[in-house]
Amino acid sequence: MIERPRRLRQNPVLRSLVAETRLHPRDLVLPVFVAEGLTEPRPIDSMPGVSQHTLESVVEIAHRCVAAGLGGIMLFGVPQHKDATGSGAVDPDGILNVALRAVREAVGDDLVVMADTCLDEFTDHGHCGVIDERGRVDNDATNLLYAEMAVAQARAGAHVVAPSGMMDGQVAVIREALDAEGFTDTVILAYSAKYASAFFGPFRDAVQSSLQGDRRTYQQDAANIVESLREIDLDIAEGADMVMVKPAMSYLDVVAAAAERSSVPVAAYQVSGEYSMIQAAAANGWIDLRTAALESLVSIRRAGAHVVLTYFALDVPGWIA
């Protein structure tokens, strides 16, 4: 007897019926940039279809996320003024905290409101922490600022704080600070396996990064996976409610290993460079945008990610309807 697996691939409804991996808007989180001082959204040249937003337009985007049935929105702040310690990150009137308040007031609990908990957008040197006298990022001093930042974000209304700086012990310090201030329900999404990746390039345009050099002394080496699993274990032990792998597409093996190992939900971030290379290829007519974008997102889900951060999030509901 000839075995005929093709029977189950003969038409769209059969293929859909037996699909092993499904993509749903509720799985997706839209990253959004909010820039201080704008009077209208400003397109980001290296990220077609993505803009820096005003306080008014980010609220409109949040309403669109709710209407589309997305799982969440992740806010990143772009301040007008930066300094050595990233003081705007902890200021209740800083752009990120003001945006968090506006969005949470607008959507309540209809959308998970997430905050990027990192100093890089706010420092004049572009690093994810404060610099010591040797010119290195001071891990423990940075963690104290992360704790203050996370509390300010929780107070502004964030359901989820997301420490992304890859400082040792950051989750434990943040959890302790949140609990001490009564924010015991605030969720920590730890960027546990964040690599020093070339695919972050367009993001640095989006946040107008001041970075000179690189972040290889604290973000991870692309050659390593055992190190990532150790970081994931440590973050879970410190109290992370969810863990993240970033980038996603070039690190699907890490996503899969994390999903197999983790006792908490795993998120993966389809980063700016991954998004922009799909957009660029589609703009040149080399690939079909919708088909390629959906394939990329399904692959991240298939690898084991429960949650996917992607700039395609608002496109997906229309594509899969």
Side-chain angles (χ1 to χ4, degrees), residues 15-24 27 298 301:
R15 292 194 296 271
S16 177
L17 178 68
V18 299
E20 298 171 33
T21 305
R22 300 184 189 278
L23 189 63
H24 190 277
D27 306 326
V298 167
R301 289 277 290 118

Side-chain angles (χ1 to χ4, degrees), residues 173-316:
V173 173
I174 289 171
R175 183 75 272 161
E176 182 178 3
L178 289 170
D179 291 353
E181 292 295 323
F183 296 109
T184 55
D185 289 336
T186 301
V187 173
I188 297 177
L189 166 58
Y191 285 63
S192 301
K194 182 178 180 180
Y195 287 84
S197 174
F199 290 105
F200 296 157
F203 176 92
R204 291 176 184 160
D205 294 338
V207 298
Q208 298 167 213
S209 175
S210 305
L211 181 67
Q212 300 294 319
D214 58 48
R215 297 171 177 150
R216 295 183 184 278
T217 63
Y218 46 103
Q219 293 179 353
Q220 290 180 245
D221 189 328
N224 298 343
I225 186 171
V226 172
E227 180 182 42
S228 291
L229 300 180
R230 182 186 182 198
E231 293 276 10
I232 288 166
D233 289 347
L234 288 169
D235 282 354
I236 293 173
E238 290 177 18
D241 300 290
M242 296 185 281
V243 294
M244 187 192 293
V245 177
K246 180 181 180 181
M249 291 170 59
S250 297
Y251 297 87
L252 293 179
D253 58 330
V254 183
V255 175
E260 183 175 355
R261 184 186 196 91
S262 175
S263 58
V264 302
V266 173
Y269 196 145
Q270 185 183 54
V271 300
S272 58
E274 295 170 329
Y275 166 86
S276 292
M277 67 184 185
I278 294 173
Q279 287 279 10
N284 279 281
W286 299 333
I287 60 175
D288 178 74
L289 177 64
R290 173 187 175 277
T291 305
L294 287 176
E295 182 179 339
S296 72
L297 295 172
V298 167
S299 74
I300 298 168
R301 289 277 290 118
R302 188 185 65 242
H306 302 86
V307 177
V308 181
L309 284 79
T310 175
Y311 302 97
F312 288 118
L314 277 174
D315 298 307
V316 169

Side-chain angles (χ1 to χ4, degrees), residues 31-279:
V32 179
F33 306 100
V34 188
E36 189 174 22
L38 291 187
T39 58
E40 60 183 13
R42 178 166 56 200
I44 300 164
D45 290 343
S46 57
M47 298 179 68
V50 178
S51 296
Q52 294 177 335
H53 284 278
T54 67
L55 288 171
E56 293 75 20
S57 66
V58 75
V59 170
E60 294 173 8
I61 289 290
H63 283 306
R64 286 180 58 194
C65 289
V66 173
L70 298 190
I73 187 170
M74 173 76 81
L75 299 187
F76 296 83
V78 185
Q80 286 182 306
H81 305 289
K82 305 180 182 185
D83 58 34
T85 62
S87 61
V90 301
D91 183 352
D93 295 321
I95 182 60
L96 180 53
N97 292 322
V98 171
L100 287 167
R101 281 197 297 276
V103 169
R104 182 63 189 278
E105 288 172 5
V107 301
D109 292 335
D110 293 335
L111 182 71
V112 178
V113 179
M114 302 182 175
D116 179 58
T117 310
C118 195
L119 296 173
D120 60 312
E121 297 100 313
F122 298 91
T123 56
D124 55 13
H125 46 73
H127 278 288
C128 297
V130 292
I131 305 298
D132 65 17
E133 64 278 1
R134 297 175 296 171
R136 299 177 59 183
V137 174
D138 187 323
N139 190 95
D140 296 355
T142 296
N143 279 343
L144 295 178
L145 290 175
Y146 285 174
E148 189 178 352
M149 186 178 185
V151 168
Q153 293 172 340
R155 190 166 283 126
H159 294 100
V160 178
V161 297
S164 60
M166 290 298 292
M167 296 297 116
D168 296 339
Q170 62 184 11
V171 172
V173 173
I174 289 171
R175 183 75 272 161
E176 182 178 3
L178 289 170
D179 291 353
E181 292 295 323
F183 296 109
T184 55
D185 289 336
T186 301
V187 173
I188 297 177
L189 166 58
Y191 285 63
S192 301
K194 182 178 180 180
Y195 287 84
S197 174
F199 290 105
F200 296 157
F203 176 92
R204 291 176 184 160
D205 294 338
V207 298
Q208 298 167 213
S209 175
S210 305
L211 181 67
Q212 300 294 319
D214 58 48
R215 297 171 177 150
R216 295 183 184 278
T217 63
Y218 46 103
Q219 293 179 353
Q220 290 180 245
D221 189 328
N224 298 343
I225 186 171
V226 172
E227 180 182 42
S228 291
L229 300 180
R230 182 186 182 198
E231 293 276 10
I232 288 166
D233 289 347
L234 288 169
D235 282 354
I236 293 173
E238 290 177 18
D241 300 290
M242 296 185 281
V243 294
M244 187 192 293
V245 177
K246 180 181 180 181
M249 291 170 59
S250 297
Y251 297 87
L252 293 179
D253 58 330
V254 183
V255 175
E260 183 175 355
R261 184 186 196 91
S262 175
S263 58
V264 302
V266 173
Y269 196 145
Q270 185 183 54
V271 300
S272 58
E274 295 170 329
Y275 166 86
S276 292
M277 67 184 185
I278 294 173
Q279 287 279 10

Side-chain angles (χ1 to χ4, degrees), residues 1-20:
M1 181 182 72
I2 298 175
E3 295 194 17
R4 300 188 184 276
R6 286 182 55 190
R7 289 193 191 104
L8 296 178
R9 301 196 291 269
Q10 64 184 284
N11 60 52
V13 290
L14 266 173
R15 292 194 296 271
S16 177
L17 178 68
V18 299
E20 298 171 33

